[in-house]
């Protein structure tokens, strides 16, 4: 069990995260928050690349910094900007990381073959990484994180740069992995974690706003989400009256999807995770737009 | 008072068991220094610990050539016997090591795969112990060769020169390693190197002949003891890298 106890992280005078409390059991946890919310900061603390300014992080009740080598032994991490050696082949790079993870050479060879197949890179194992596309590199990154069959897997935007087919493959891979380990992944793409995440964590104003399962999150908007087709002139009015989550051009007007506390003559619709995300972080987008208008 | 339960005094056997239990529990299995190095070499492998071996050799070659060039150039206008060779040895011995630390330890943190490597079981810090040790061995060997070559041409006392070279190397390399864990990370190996040279030059120019006299008047066994002591401090500093890097401010 991985636990974050009251963690605050300051960068000089800037506070990136404040009094964060979290618990992770096995299963997939999705970290869903907009740019700059502190996802990477939280993950870097969870992998001991940086340390909390206050509070502590424990694994099975021991501080992860004190555990040191022991903790890193069960850890897999994919950084947001995944770095590699350009002149290495995929296999050579993975052999190198496997050695640093203390894997036995013959075991590592087998494991690498297995993993490259798992992410569909079996044919390019001998190719130099500088010839790889962005999405292929990202998949090599996933491989290196999985080398030591980690109990704690931290993935910082693992699906960035993957095409829809690879996304789907990755999603399947994650759900098979999740059975007996902790997986924490950050993303802005709601569909990446929809249906597979056990719980979704949302960070807002430097704090954890929600840590709930998808049902609970969707129920936040239950009975408040509507759709209506309105003439173009009315759009402004809707924007000022309601939280409009999306709008779509239709033949006979514009279809708006919005949140309203009172029921009206509109079509009530089932909220999706995306709706919740848009609604929760709506103010921030509004603010930035206000600034643009100024 | 009488109602208070009497605590039975433990007999010898019980005490012994308890004490050894406490000691075993309290002392985490701490591998010996050489054992840890051996495990690392076996588990990770030489070629992975020295992933950048070609760069290291290249740097070595360049610094070697620079040094030889410097010696040839200066020997045309300075006769070596006129210079205080011992002071020169004491001052210059750690420089090669400094070059290694500068290029192959600090650079590591800006390397593209740093985040991935740092999160591995045997991360940059653990491997650093082996690398630092190898660098110091290499420096000792190369300094040794240089001193032997020098002793053929001049009348320096070889053992004495070697001891001086060890001592200054250990002092400086302990400093290099210390600053890696020091709270102020702004201090770079360059500042240690420059500081060392400046300090010695200053001492030499202020004390002049006195400096030389002091160096020569101390008996050789004292140097031997100092060499062992500084060597011990150095090994202790290397050990720090093998242990849990608690509170090491890296980023
Ligand atoms: N090393 C640093 N020094 C100072 N400020 C930092 C540093 N790293 C991050 N920050 C700040 O902390 C905040 C959170 O950054 P973080 O990278 O954790 O966001 P994120 O949620 O990962 O964003 P993204 O979705 O863009 O990856 C940002 O405001 C950022 O400017
Ligand atoms: Mg990020």
């Amino acid at each position: 069990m991985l636990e974050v106890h009251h963690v605050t992280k300051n960068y000089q005078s800037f506070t990136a995260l404040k009094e964060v409390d979290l618990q992770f059991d096995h299963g997939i946890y999705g970290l869903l928050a907009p740019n700059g919310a502190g996802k990477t900061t939280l993950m870097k603390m969870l992998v001991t690349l940086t340390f909390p300014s206050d509070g502590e992080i424990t694994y099975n009740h021991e501080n992860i910094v004190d555990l040191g080598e022991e903790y890193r032994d069960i850890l897999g991490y994919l950084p947001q900007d995944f770095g590699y050696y350009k002149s290495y082949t995929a296999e050579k790079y993975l052999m190198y990381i496997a050695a640093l993870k203390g894997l036995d050479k013959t075991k590592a060879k087998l494991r690498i073959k297995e993993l490259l197949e798992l992410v569909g890179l079996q044919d390019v194992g001998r190719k130099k990484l500088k010839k790889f596309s962005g999405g292929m590199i990202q998949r090599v990154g996933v491989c290196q994180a999985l080398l030591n069959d980690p109990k704690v897997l931290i993935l910082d935007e693992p699906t960035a740069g993957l095409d829809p087919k690879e996304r789907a493959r990755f999603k399947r891979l994650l759900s098979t992995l999740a059975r007996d380990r902790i997986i924490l992944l950050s993303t802005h793409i709601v569909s990446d974690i929809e249906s597979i995440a056990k719980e979704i964590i949302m960070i807002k104003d430097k704090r954890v706003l929600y840590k709930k399962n998808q049902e609970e999150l969707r129920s936040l908007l239950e009975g408040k989400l509507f759709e209506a087709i309105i003439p173009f002139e009315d759009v402004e009015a809707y924007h000022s009256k309601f939280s409009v989550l999306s709008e779509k051009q239709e033949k006979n007007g514009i279809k708006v999807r919005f949140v309203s506390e009172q029921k009206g003559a509109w079509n009530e619709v089932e909220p999706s995770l995306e709706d919740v995300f848009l609604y929760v972080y709506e103010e921030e987008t509004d603010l930035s737009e206000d600034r643009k208008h100024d | 008072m009488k109602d208070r339960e009497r605590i039975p005094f433990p007999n010898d056997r019980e005490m012994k068991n308890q004490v050894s239990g406490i000691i075993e529990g309290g002392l985490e299995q701490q591998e010996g220094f050489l054992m840890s190095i051996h495990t690392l070499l076996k588990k990770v492998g030489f070629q992975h610990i020295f992933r950048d071996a070609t760069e290291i050799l290249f740097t070595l070659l360049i610094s070697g050539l620079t040094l030889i060039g410097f010696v040839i150039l200066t020997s045309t206008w300075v006769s070596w016997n006129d210079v205080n060779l011992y002071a020169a040895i004491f001052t210059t011995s750690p420089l090669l090591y400094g070059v290694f630390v500068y290029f192959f330890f600090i650079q590591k943190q800006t390397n593209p795969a740093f985040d991935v490597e740092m999160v591995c079981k045997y991360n940059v810090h653990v491997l650093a112990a082996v690398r630092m040790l190898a660098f110091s061995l290499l420096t000792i060997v190369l300094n040794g060769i240089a001193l032997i070559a020098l002793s053929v041409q001049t009348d320096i006392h070889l053992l004495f020169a070697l001891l001086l070279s060890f001592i200054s190397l250990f002092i400086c390399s302990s400093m290099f390693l210390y600053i890696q864990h020091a709270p102020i990370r702004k201090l770079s190996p360059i500042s240690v190197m420059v500081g060392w040279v400046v300090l010695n030059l200053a001492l030499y120019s202020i004390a002049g002949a006195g400096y030389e006299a002091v160096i020569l008047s101390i008996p050789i066994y004292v140097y031997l003891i100092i060499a062992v002591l500084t060597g011990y401090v150095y090994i202790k500093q290397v050990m720090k890298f093998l242990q849990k890097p608690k509170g090491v401010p890296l980023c």
Side-chain angles (χ1 to χ4, degrees), chain A residues 44 47 49 51 66-67 69 72-73 75 77 79 82-85 88 93 96-97 99-102 144, chain B residues 43-44 47-48 51 108 111-113 115-123 126-127 244 246-248 251:
Chain A
K44 281 198 168 173
V47 298
L49 273 175
F51 307 100
D66 293 340
L67 282 171
E69 206 172 288
R72 292 198 301 272
D73 199 19
L75 192 62
Y77 173 55
F82 167 60
Y84 53 92
Y85 299 107
Y88 276 32
Y93 176 73
Y96 170 61
I97 299 297
L100 295 189
K101 292 192 177 216
Q144 67 72 26
Chain B
K43 280 229 159 139
V44 184
Q47 84 270 29
H48 290 134
R51 192 189 62 75
K108 268 262 166 184
N111 117 7
D115 278 2
V116 172
E117 288 170 9
M118 210 49 209
V119 168
C120 289
K121 181 176 183 191
Y122 301 114
N123 66 13
V126 180
L127 299 193
K244 292 163 189 170
K246 190 180 176 180
V248 181
C251 308

Side-chain angles (χ1 to χ4, degrees), chain B residues 37-173:
Chain B
I37 299 286
H38 177 75
T39 313
L40 269 182
L41 279 171
K42 216 175 84 185
K43 280 229 159 139
V44 184
F46 194 83
Q47 84 270 29
H48 290 134
I49 298 178
F50 297 93
R51 192 189 62 75
D52 43 3
T54 39
E55 292 160 56
I56 294 172
L57 287 180
F58 185 71
T59 310
L60 191 63
L61 200 71
I62 296 287
S63 29
L65 287 178
T66 315
L67 195 69
I68 291 171
F70 178 77
V71 169
I72 290 174
L73 202 72
T74 47
S75 63
T76 54
W77 29 277
V78 184
S79 149
W80 277 113
N81 275 322
D82 295 344
V83 182
N84 185 335
L85 277 178
Y86 297 114
I89 290 164
F90 196 68
T91 308
T92 55
S93 287
L95 295 189
L96 187 57
Y97 187 81
V99 168
F100 284 136
V101 175
Y102 183 71
F103 282 106
F104 301 107
F105 189 75
I106 298 302
Q107 286 299 84
K108 268 262 166 184
Q109 303 194 3
T110 56
N111 117 7
F114 182 75
D115 278 2
V116 172
E117 288 170 9
M118 210 49 209
V119 168
C120 289
K121 181 176 183 191
Y122 301 114
N123 66 13
V124 178
H125 264 256
V126 180
L127 299 193
V130 184
R131 291 168 65 93
M132 295 295 115
L133 212 62
F135 290 155
S136 50
L137 281 179
L138 201 61
T139 309
I140 286 175
V141 168
L142 293 174
N143 282 349
I145 291 172
L147 288 181
I148 289 169
L150 199 64
S151 71
V152 174
Q153 301 198 343
T154 60
D155 53 358
I156 57 163
H157 187 317
L158 184 58
L159 180 64
F160 185 57
L162 281 174
L163 279 177
L164 270 184
S165 149
F166 288 167
I167 292 170
S168 71
L169 176 65
F170 287 144
I171 292 175
C172 257
S173 42

Side-chain angles (χ1 to χ4, degrees), chain B residues 175-221:
Chain B
M175 279 293 290
F176 283 134
L177 298 189
Y178 176 76
I179 59 170
Q180 302 294 329
H181 291 277
I184 336 142
R185 296 209 19 98
K186 299 282 170 284
L187 231 55
S188 80
I190 292 276
S191 52
V192 174
M193 246 185 326
V194 172
W196 179 255
V197 172
V198 168
L199 180 79
N200 277 287
L201 284 182
L203 271 180
Y204 184 53
S205 52
I206 293 166
Y211 182 75
E212 191 181 1
V214 167
I215 283 183
L216 287 173
S217 67
I218 298 170
I220 226 164
Y221 73 87

Side-chain angles (χ1 to χ4, degrees), chain A residues 35-36 38-41 80 156-157 186 188:
Chain A
N35 292 134
K39 299 183 295 297
T40 300
T41 303
Q80 182 167 8
D156 202 348
E157 296 188 27
S186 71
H188 315 114

Side-chain angles (χ1 to χ4, degrees), chain B residues 224-238:
Chain B
L224 201 61
I225 291 170
I226 295 175
V228 170
L229 277 179
T230 49
Y232 175 76
V233 171
Y234 172 68
I235 295 287
K236 273 275 177 219
Q237 288 293 331
V238 175

